[in-house]
Amino acid sequence: GLEVLRIINEPTAASLAYGLQEKTQGTIAVYDFGGGTFDISILKLKHGIFEVLATHGDTHLGGDDIDNLLIKIALEDIRSEWGEDISGKADAVQLLRRSVIAAKEQLSFVPSVNIEFAYGGKTYQRAITLDVFDRLIHPIVDRTLASCRECIADSGVTVDQIDEVVLVGGSTRMPVVQELVRKMTGKEPNKSVNPDEVVAIGAAIQ
């Protein structure tokens, strides 16, 4: 029942949310790391018009992979501590997933958290520091950089020619992600807009 006014691609919407169309020209990298997918796009802005020079990504890479890694570690701990394998119990795994996600999200803001889980009258607890978390997820985050390098090569621009780096998607809240983007581009990524809302805000502006 809605009238479709226009279809806008996500990198352009993100750029609009950051007000980048106000600039006369520039090259923008949009790093989009969400729950289930990863995308990197290089945009060229000229006289308020965005042109997508290149895009690359991985449709099976995202925050879910980090959740699953932490769940796997917790399940192994529980098997060792409880002498019980709960991996086949869907309700237990779902409860554990919630605990793991809560801990992961808190680690974007604090240096250490506890993963806490109770099931069948038993409790499991594990402290995890940001340093340990970063080391665990580094191989996952590192996979995004391979896509970034390919995208930059396809776009015909160099890293030095990128004027702005925009972060999109909830997984970009993680400090290790921001640090890797910073090292790769040599620029401070723009993260002033809520990464979960940035595409919707840009579409609304359009």
Side-chain angles (χ1 to χ4, degrees):
L2 298 176
E3 181 187 355
V4 179
L5 298 174
R6 190 172 301 170
I7 293 173
I8 180 172
N9 66 54
E10 290 192 10
T12 299
S15 299
L16 287 171
Y18 279 101
L20 300 183
Q21 74 279 10
E22 303 300 329
K23 298 183 177 183
T24 52
Q25 59 184 29
T27 304
I28 302 149
V30 180
Y31 180 101
D32 185 347
F33 195 23
T37 60
F38 170 73
D39 296 286
I40 172 74
S41 302
I42 308 294
L43 281 65
K44 189 82 174 175
L45 171 65
K46 200 166 185 180
H47 306 304
I49 305 296
F50 291 100
E51 176 193 357
V52 179
L53 298 180
T55 187
H56 204 280
D58 190 328
T59 55
H60 300 288
L61 179 66
D64 292 347
D65 294 285
I66 293 168
D67 301 341
N68 291 335
L69 174 64
L70 294 176
I71 288 168
K72 182 182 175 186
I73 291 168
L75 285 171
E76 288 171 358
D77 282 353
I78 289 167
R79 190 181 300 117
S80 175
E81 287 181 21
W82 296 2
E84 181 182 0
D85 183 3
I86 62 166
S87 61
K89 298 175 180 176
D91 58 338
V93 174
Q94 186 58 30
L95 283 171
L96 182 58
R97 181 177 293 276
R98 287 182 193 166
S99 300
V100 158
I101 290 172
K104 176 190 76 172
E105 290 175 349
Q106 288 174 51
L107 279 170
S108 290
F109 308 101
V110 296
S112 178
V113 295
N114 282 330
I115 297 174
E116 296 177 345
F117 169 71
Y119 183 78
K122 296 178 181 177
T123 58
Y124 162 74
Q125 189 174 28
R126 175 178 176 140
I128 182 165
T129 64
L130 183 59
D131 285 344
V132 169
F133 177 71
D134 287 352
R135 284 200 298 273
L136 285 171
I137 70 168
H138 206 285
I140 294 171
V141 179
D142 219 31
R143 283 171 58 193
T144 71
L145 299 187
S147 288
C148 290
R149 294 185 190 100
E150 286 198 43
C151 187
I152 291 167
D154 291 347
S155 72
V157 302
T158 64
V159 172
D160 294 338
Q161 291 172 307
I162 294 172
D163 301 301
E164 192 94 37
V165 182
V166 169
L167 299 183
V168 180
S171 295
T172 61
R173 283 194 176 91
M174 294 184 289
V176 66
V177 171
Q178 296 175 14
E179 183 58 29
L180 281 175
V181 171
R182 194 178 292 117
K183 282 182 178 176
M184 186 189 70
T185 62
K187 291 184 176 60
E188 185 64 34
N190 198 333
K191 51 184 189 290
S192 57
V193 180
N194 183 329
D196 292 311
E197 299 174 355
V198 62
V199 171
I201 289 169
I205 290 168
Q206 176 72 78

